[in-house]
Amino acid sequence: MTDNYYILLFKTAVQSILRAKLRSFLTVLGIMIGVMSVVLLMAFGLGIKNYISEQFQELGSNILYVVVGKIDGNLASGSRSLASNFRFKLNDVLSLKRLPEADIVVPIYLQPRLKIQSGKNSFYGDLVLSDEGLHKAYNYQDFVGKFFDSSSLYRKEKVAYLGWNTAVELFDNPVEAVGKTVVVSGVRLRVIGVAKEKGGGSASDFDNNVVAPYTAFPQLDPENNFYFIYLKAVSEDRVNVLKQRVIQVLSRSYQEDDFSVIEPTEMLNAVLNIFSFINLGLVGIGAISLVVGGVGVMNVMYMSVTERIKEIGIRRAIGAKKNDILLQFLVESIILSLFGAVIGLILSYIVVLLIKPYFAAEIDLAIVAIAVGVSIAIGVFFGSAPARRAANLEPVSAIRYE
Amino acid sequence: MIKIDNVSKVYTAGETEFYALKDISVTVEKGEYVAVLGSSGSGKSTLMHIMGLLDKPSKGSVYFENSLVTTLSDNKLSELRNKRIGFVFQQFNLINRLTVYENVVLPYFYSKESKFNIRQKALKLLQDLQIREKEQKYPNQLSGGQQQRVAIARALIMEPDYILADEPTGNLDSKTGKEIVSILESLNKKGKTLIIVTHDRSLANRARRKIVLQDGRLVS
Ligand SMILES: Nc1ncnc2c1ncn2[C@@H]1O[C@H](COP(=O)(O)OP(=O)(O)O)[C@@H](O)[C@H]1O
Ligand SMILES: [Mg+2]
């Protein structure tokens, strides 16, 4: 029973939309396409964002990286002096290992794109020289064999632990790699283990590595040439203390500009900031189609007003104020665009479900809220000119209208 | 009291001026039964629209119960039409997409009031007008006479003091027309001010007072 002004308002609006089905359908279609383009772009953005976050999360939250060169807090605006010639020394690493807040300290030396040979097979991979802690730091899972331990390091054993791709490229069957020999930079290494595949996306190409004790390559002098130190704090709440202590220790020997201590979470934020910015731009472009849909709403509302001049006159005669008429037409245009938004959301959701296995995409409550909010705003914005025209009709000319 | 003082209504089409009403002065007191008589195009509807606060004069003043109408805001005029005036039109002017019941209660919704039990009141009115069972029908499912009864119910729902009827029988056969007129006259007997606009001399003769228009001028 319509014993309520607002129910009647709603009913009247729905009726008038349904009265011109084709016209309403086309308008709804316009809004629907606009909402879909915006929602899907936001969904891709959110999906990729979450994917990046997950990748970083995998690294752990109580982690610090010490790198050469200056990275000022914000990756987005900062410029990293990649050209820095500065390198860490083994002594620095040993000093850091003495910090009580440090659980693991792993130095890393890297020679990218070196030829790795085994018999007739060869592969260009990255030579990583480190200590026994790298296994844990990089979160390697053994596919076969094992990583080298500290005694291998002390005894300067010429052993190698292969990333998945390296093993696959050099040996037809990675299982048989253990015990075989690989040659890197003229050094013969005995393979003692192969890591499981890590998959793409992570900070470095772990799968293309060949890892050896830094003591195995004295001719490269890794002990004076570490470019990266990985630290893990004893607990998450000690990360900040550890960071301060690391800066303290290194500042004793080096300039402030020589090195940076960064938290992966900070990096994550920087990456996400850049990404959000790009995504916002894309969504903005998508919003243009929403504006086009809004213009459609405006057209239809102008038609609706013109067809109902007499009705407006009747309503004014029996006491409707200008605002009552305004509200009536605004409700109609809001329902029209909201309807488009709901259908657009449902279709977007289906699209997301369908492509999720192949491409990161997600729709969350915030996206739904934005879509609904924006479509209401479209309804109000593009409906207000026709609604004002209706409200400002002279009662007498409206009621005389035939 | 509705007082029209030296009112003219002018329509201009390019150079030419057309007087739909010319220097009209009329006062309708509360409780009166007045007929506005004149041939088609004589300005009857224009006069009624001005008295009903739907239209404004080009010249002259209109008073609604001592308020000069030109000083009232659009919202105030809407409120007066809503609460103090009930309109009945020749074309019934119901909203076809609303049910009979919804048409009748619409003025109440626009009043934004909640001072009476609207459902009970609306059904009582429909009952009195003998269309109670049409409550959920749509106007185009009713005969002309029934539609005019709905329009009268709608005009009465806010308990107005003035009933303004513009050719209320113009679209009805003579028997049905007489029924509608007697309903309106019974309202006048209960104290409502009744203004009936008509070109039908015998209908106008039933009123206690006649205002006769010819080409926008007051003849008697
Ligand atoms: N908006 C308007 N513009 C021009 N002329 C109008 C307008 N409204 C009414 N008229 C003219 O004013 C005259 C009086 O109209 P009306 O009051 O409707 O007459 P009646 O109701 O007596 O038939 C008519 O000639 C009509 O054509
Ligand atoms: Mg007329």
Side-chain angles (χ1 to χ4, degrees):
Chain A
M1 186 43 58
T2 43
D3 273 339
N4 181 298
Y5 174 58
Y6 296 97
I7 293 174
L8 192 63
L9 202 62
F10 183 80
K11 183 184 158 184
T12 307
V14 171
Q15 272 178 342
S16 113
I17 288 168
L18 293 181
R19 202 168 56 144
K21 288 201 183 61
L22 179 65
R23 186 173 86 188
S24 301
F25 169 76
L26 292 174
T27 312
V28 164
L29 199 68
I31 293 291
M32 186 200 86
I33 291 168
V35 166
M36 268 185 86
S37 57
V38 168
V39 165
L40 284 178
L41 282 168
M42 286 198 291
F44 293 148
L46 182 67
I48 294 167
K49 209 162 164 178
N50 287 350
Y51 178 74
I52 296 172
S53 302
E54 273 165 33
Q55 293 296 316
F56 273 94
Q57 235 113 63
E58 214 176 87
L59 298 171
S61 49
N62 45 355
I63 305 301
L64 290 177
Y65 298 151
V66 186
V67 298
V68 298
K70 194 70 213 161
I71 298 173
D72 51 16
N74 183 358
L75 251 188
S77 69
S79 58
R80 176 179 182 176
S81 62
L82 282 167
S84 172
N85 288 320
F86 176 78
R87 293 291 182 266
F88 299 110
K89 314 287 182 281
L90 186 58
N91 264 338
D92 306 329
V93 177
L94 297 179
S95 310
L96 295 180
K97 285 198 183 212
R98 280 194 290 273
L99 292 174
E101 293 83 5
D103 180 19
I104 311 175
V105 179
V106 183
I108 292 160
Y109 169 96
L110 181 81
Q111 276 279 340
R113 308 282 300 159
L114 279 184
K115 192 174 186 184
I116 307 161
Q117 269 187 295
S118 172
K120 284 191 288 298
N121 294 341
S122 69
F123 173 66
Y124 282 87
D126 302 333
L127 174 64
V128 174
L129 302 178
S130 184
D131 68 14
E132 74 283 358
L134 188 77
H135 190 256
K136 202 168 166 189
Y138 274 13
N139 199 20
Y140 274 128
Q141 306 292 315
D142 297 337
F143 173 72
V144 61
K146 59 178 178 49
F147 203 77
F148 57 84
D149 56 17
S150 54
S151 64
S152 300
L153 192 76
Y154 290 129
R155 291 205 295 268
K156 306 181 181 178
E157 284 178 352
K158 307 230 179 288
V159 292
Y161 184 82
L162 305 183
W164 177 256
N165 290 344
T166 312
V168 170
E169 293 292 330
L170 295 179
F171 305 98
D172 297 330
N173 184 352
V175 180
E176 292 164 4
V178 174
K180 299 267 170 59
T181 302
V182 294
V183 182
V184 188
S185 280
V187 177
R188 297 172 64 82
L189 302 169
R190 180 170 48 87
V191 176
I192 56 166
V194 175
K196 283 186 187 163
E197 189 171 16
K198 279 181 99 59
S202 296
S204 135
D205 299 320
F206 296 102
D207 291 330
N208 296 336
N209 285 347
V210 49
V211 187
Y214 58 78
T215 52
F217 281 78
Q219 72 276 34
L220 296 175
D221 193 19
E223 298 187 14
N224 285 310
N225 283 298
F226 293 119
Y227 94 113
F228 188 91
I229 302 170
Y230 169 100
L231 288 103
K232 186 173 176 191
V234 286
S235 65
E236 214 170 307
D237 57 335
R238 307 303 286 171
V239 173
N240 276 328
V241 183
L242 179 61
K243 186 175 178 179
Q244 295 315 311
R245 298 290 290 265
V246 169
I247 293 171
Q248 245 170 36
V249 168
L250 294 177
S251 296
R252 270 185 245 141
S253 326
Y254 307 121
Q255 297 296 312
E256 196 214 335
D257 285 355
D258 288 337
F259 67 92
S260 310
V261 182
I262 50 180
E263 294 172 49
T265 49
E266 278 176 11
M267 269 167 63
L268 171 65
N269 285 339
V271 170
L272 289 184
N273 275 345
I274 297 173
F275 181 73
S276 305
F277 193 72
I278 295 170
N279 192 235
L280 198 69
L282 288 174
V283 170
I285 292 168
I288 292 172
S289 61
L290 206 48
V291 171
V292 173
V295 172
V297 169
M298 187 156 78
N299 269 321
V300 161
M301 289 313 299
Y302 269 125
M303 284 188 227
S304 183
V305 170
T306 307
E307 284 165 8
R308 289 155 71 194
I309 290 177
K310 179 84 178 180
E311 178 191 321
I312 294 164
I314 296 169
R315 288 175 187 268
R316 295 285 274 140
I318 63 173
K321 299 189 166 116
K322 282 185 177 181
N323 276 340
D324 293 314
I325 304 297
L326 190 78
L327 187 65
Q328 184 187 334
F329 284 94
L330 278 185
V331 165
E332 191 176 321
S333 71
I334 289 170
I335 289 175
L336 209 51
S337 72
L338 205 54
F339 194 57
V342 169
I343 297 178
L345 269 172
I346 292 171
L347 290 183
S348 301
Y349 188 73
I350 293 171
V351 170
V352 166
L353 282 186
L354 290 178
I355 66 162
K356 210 167 181 170
Y358 318 104
F359 196 84
E362 249 166 84
I363 292 179
D364 67 356
L365 217 68
I367 293 181
V368 173
I370 288 172
V372 169
V374 165
S375 67
I376 289 175
I378 293 257
V380 171
F381 184 78
F382 289 97
S384 64
R388 264 207 302 275
R389 204 192 126 193
N392 288 329
L393 284 173
E394 286 295 330
V396 71
S397 46
I399 200 142
R400 274 183 184 273
Y401 189 86
E402 290 307 332
Chain B
M1 176 210 67
I2 300 174
K3 187 176 167 195
I4 303 292
D5 189 18
N6 217 12
V7 158
S8 295
K9 183 73 184 180
V10 190
Y11 294 110
T12 43
E15 302 278 285
T16 57
E17 284 190 337
F18 173 74
Y19 278 83
L21 291 177
K22 180 110 176 117
D23 301 330
I24 305 279
S25 295
V26 170
T27 304
V28 176
E29 298 291 345
K30 245 185 170 161
E32 266 197 287
Y33 175 11
V34 178
V36 179
L37 180 66
S39 56
S40 180
S42 58
K44 306 183 295 296
S45 294
T46 306
L47 180 62
M48 193 202 86
H49 290 147
I50 288 174
M51 291 205 282
L53 314 184
L54 277 168
D55 200 359
K56 289 187 172 132
S58 313
K59 274 180 240 156
S61 340
V62 178
Y63 296 88
F64 187 88
E65 318 228 302
N66 300 325
S67 314
L68 184 61
V69 167
T70 45
T71 64
L72 302 176
S73 69
D74 191 82
N75 276 351
K76 183 66 189 170
L77 293 176
S78 293
E79 194 187 317
L80 289 174
R81 287 195 299 268
N82 181 251
K83 297 204 171 83
R84 307 294 308 281
I85 302 169
F87 290 100
V88 177
F89 299 96
Q90 176 176 357
Q91 309 288 347
F92 320 130
N93 282 353
L94 299 173
I95 296 173
N96 283 321
R97 283 174 300 119
L98 301 183
T99 63
V100 164
Y101 177 79
E102 288 162 349
N103 267 287
V104 171
V105 299
L106 201 53
Y108 176 74
F109 286 160
Y110 285 132
S111 77
K112 314 277 163 55
E113 277 184 359
S114 49
K115 80 175 178 221
F116 39 68
N117 182 337
I118 183 62
R119 178 150 183 79
Q120 208 178 315
K121 190 174 175 68
L123 293 182
K124 169 86 166 58
L125 269 173
L126 291 175
Q127 179 82 53
D128 292 348
L129 290 159
Q130 295 162 359
I131 44 170
R132 166 75 176 79
E133 74 285 356
K134 306 293 183 194
E135 179 203 344
Q136 292 307 321
K137 294 266 188 289
Y138 286 87
N140 53 18
Q141 297 173 304
L142 306 185
S143 69
Q146 288 167 335
Q147 291 192 51
Q148 199 60 300
R149 286 164 192 262
V150 176
I152 292 172
R154 180 179 68 184
L156 293 176
I157 191 81
M158 295 304 291
E159 301 180 358
D161 304 304
Y162 300 89
I163 304 287
L164 272 56
D166 191 352
E167 314 254 17
T169 62
N171 271 22
L172 303 173
D173 60 67
S174 65
K175 178 172 169 286
T176 315
K178 282 193 185 104
E179 285 167 18
I180 294 298
V181 168
S182 74
I183 291 170
L184 293 173
E185 286 175 350
S186 73
L187 296 170
N188 173 251
K189 291 205 184 72
K190 285 180 209 149
K192 298 212 186 289
T193 313
L194 179 62
I195 304 172
I196 294 187
V197 169
T198 182
H199 61 267
D200 178 346
R201 189 165 296 277
S202 65
L203 172 54
N205 285 336
R206 298 173 65 90
R208 253 170 279 148
R209 187 149 74 91
K210 266 187 295 186
I211 297 167
V212 183
L213 289 179
Q214 199 177 335
D215 296 332
R217 289 166 201 272
L218 204 59
V219 178
S220 71

